[in-house]
Amino acid sequence: MPSTLVHVAFGGFVAAGLLGSYFDRRSVLVVLAAAALPDVDSFLAIVLTGTHRALLHNLVLPGLVAGVLVVHRRRPITALTDRLDARTTRIAWVAVAAFVFGGVAPDLVTNGVNPLYPVVDRYVTLDGHVLISSTRGFVQSFVELHPESNTVGGTTADTFYYTGVDATRGSEPEQVERIFPVVNSGMQALVVVLSGFVLGGRFRERAE
């Protein structure tokens, strides 16, 4: 599964690509924090059992924030008028994008998340392949039309994702191993290194 570092790296790409003229240390930190925020539910799941990859790993929260931003743009909300200037609004939109594409999406394609929690309590995994075969033509497995498809998982009542802070469901053995992943593959390492390279390039460009 992607580590928090990998989520932050994806957030770095979002920050570098979307902040535009508002790219600076403070705005980048906000965006990186938004990408890391979903993983906070690994701590909350200790109290609310089974809610890791559900409580914050969903599209309901960013959807609500995006909805407020859209409504405010069309009909200004008095309480937000003095807070949401052009800069803050841009950062807020980029933070929402980082939350979705940096925080939630990498887990959606790696073992799944509960995308509509708490409205709908069901874990979903978006995984598969697309290829062009000389004998089968165009082939894709992302959308399965068969009942036995395993892309839809269980609920918070019967699904558990181990983390370094919550290694086993229920009581833990005294000598339980706690694993805090940094990178789990060469591809993840590449994402982290490239994100740092891109962000460094943007900061250097801004300083010139």
Side-chain angles (χ1 to χ4, degrees), residues 2-199:
S3 66
T4 301
L5 177 62
V6 174
H7 289 297
V8 169
F10 277 110
F13 288 123
V14 175
L18 299 181
L19 281 173
S21 61
Y22 300 114
F23 184 93
D24 58 28
R25 289 185 180 181
R26 181 175 296 181
S27 62
V28 169
L29 285 176
V30 170
V31 175
L32 297 185
L37 181 59
D39 272 355
V40 171
D41 65 19
S42 62
F43 294 91
L44 301 177
I46 297 175
V47 179
L48 302 172
T49 305
T51 56
H52 178 45
R53 292 210 180 189
L55 196 61
L56 296 178
H57 281 75
N58 63 67
L59 303 179
V60 175
L61 292 176
L64 290 174
V65 175
V68 170
L69 292 173
V70 170
V71 169
H72 178 69
R73 180 177 181 181
R74 295 182 177 180
R75 183 176 297 179
I77 301 172
T78 304
L80 298 178
T81 302
D82 295 333
R83 298 175 181 270
L84 290 178
D85 55 15
R87 171 187 166 83
T88 306
T89 300
R90 179 64 169 268
I91 295 173
W93 274 115
V94 178
V96 169
F99 185 99
V100 172
F101 295 105
V104 177
D107 286 335
L108 175 63
V109 300
T110 311
N111 300 326
V113 300
N114 206 321
L116 298 179
Y117 185 84
V119 180
V120 178
D121 185 5
R122 182 66 63 179
Y123 285 90
V124 175
T125 301
L126 179 62
D127 193 14
H129 59 261
V130 176
L131 58 87
I132 299 176
S133 167
S134 61
T135 58
R136 292 175 292 159
F138 178 82
V139 179
Q140 69 83 30
S141 63
F142 283 96
V143 179
E144 295 286 355
L145 303 179
H146 306 292
E148 62 272 17
S149 170
N150 62 358
T151 56
V152 177
T155 68
T156 53
D158 57 25
T159 303
F160 176 77
Y161 294 95
Y162 75 86
T163 66
V165 295
D166 193 14
T168 63
R169 188 161 199 152
S171 59
E172 298 179 349
E174 185 177 345
Q175 300 299 323
V176 65
E177 181 182 14
R178 299 185 183 280
I179 299 175
F180 298 89
V182 179
V183 292
N184 288 322
S185 68
M187 182 61 72
Q188 290 186 9
L190 177 61
V191 167
V192 171
V193 171
L194 184 57
S195 176
F197 179 79
V198 171
L199 285 175

